[in-house]
Amino acid sequence: MDKEPHNIVEFLGEIEDPRRDNANKRHELIDILVIALCGMLSAADDWVSIAQYGRAKEDWFTQFLALPNGIPSHDTFNRVFSRIDPEQFLKWVNSIRSVMCKEIVAVDGKTLRRSHDGENKAAIL
């Protein structure tokens, strides 16, 4: 990342579109990425629930996303994310760390829901 992005669309805009440029590409990559990120932050944990989240919030998303063909299907989310270069995504995550100037701490939801092994009961203190 050469310059410091100022919003999430600029951050995500750095990720290259892994799809071929042809008539079958019905959704903008930035639309797919923003909807997926918002869905994940809102507890959607699979492609079906991300697509459902997108449809439920479509009016809101149309305020700042193009959405030329509406909300992508769960299959579209799956196909696009399976083709994104993991190195680019990691570069994006690291750019967030540099802007935040803080360490990112991963929180394991399974541990939070108490599905841990019996010996390690104090995962979060």
Side-chain angles (χ1 to χ4, degrees), residues 12-67:
L12 294 173
E14 296 288 326
I15 296 175
E16 290 179 29
D17 195 337
R19 302 169 295 166
R20 285 186 234 129
D21 289 325
N22 61 28
N24 292 333
K25 190 162 67 169
R26 300 181 60 223
H27 302 282
E28 300 290 329
L29 179 63
I30 194 66
D31 295 353
I32 293 168
L33 296 173
V34 168
I35 294 167
L37 179 61
C38 291
M40 288 185 287
L41 291 172
S42 298
D45 59 359
D46 60 23
W47 303 127
V48 172
S49 58
I50 287 172
Q52 289 171 340
Y53 172 82
R55 287 190 299 274
K57 301 292 185 183
E58 187 169 5
D59 289 342
W60 180 68
F61 283 123
T62 59
Q63 295 176 38
F64 56 91
L65 297 177
L67 298 174

Side-chain angles (χ1 to χ4, degrees), residues 35-97:
I35 294 167
L37 179 61
C38 291
M40 288 185 287
L41 291 172
S42 298
D45 59 359
D46 60 23
W47 303 127
V48 172
S49 58
I50 287 172
Q52 289 171 340
Y53 172 82
R55 287 190 299 274
K57 301 292 185 183
E58 187 169 5
D59 289 342
W60 180 68
F61 283 123
T62 59
Q63 295 176 38
F64 56 91
L65 297 177
L67 298 174
N69 292 295
I71 301 297
S73 71
H74 67 280
D75 289 328
T76 299
F77 283 107
N78 184 25
R79 274 192 305 273
V80 170
F81 274 89
S82 70
R83 293 181 182 149
I84 289 177
D85 179 5
E87 292 297 320
Q88 281 192 344
F89 198 75
L90 184 59
K91 182 179 176 183
W92 176 74
V93 170
N94 285 330
S95 72
I96 292 172
R97 288 179 59 187

Side-chain angles (χ1 to χ4, degrees), residues 1 3-15 30 92:
M1 306 262 161
K3 63 181 178 104
E4 185 177 300
H6 294 93
N7 64 50
I8 195 69
V9 173
E10 288 181 39
F11 268 120
L12 294 173
E14 296 288 326
I15 296 175
I30 194 66
W92 176 74

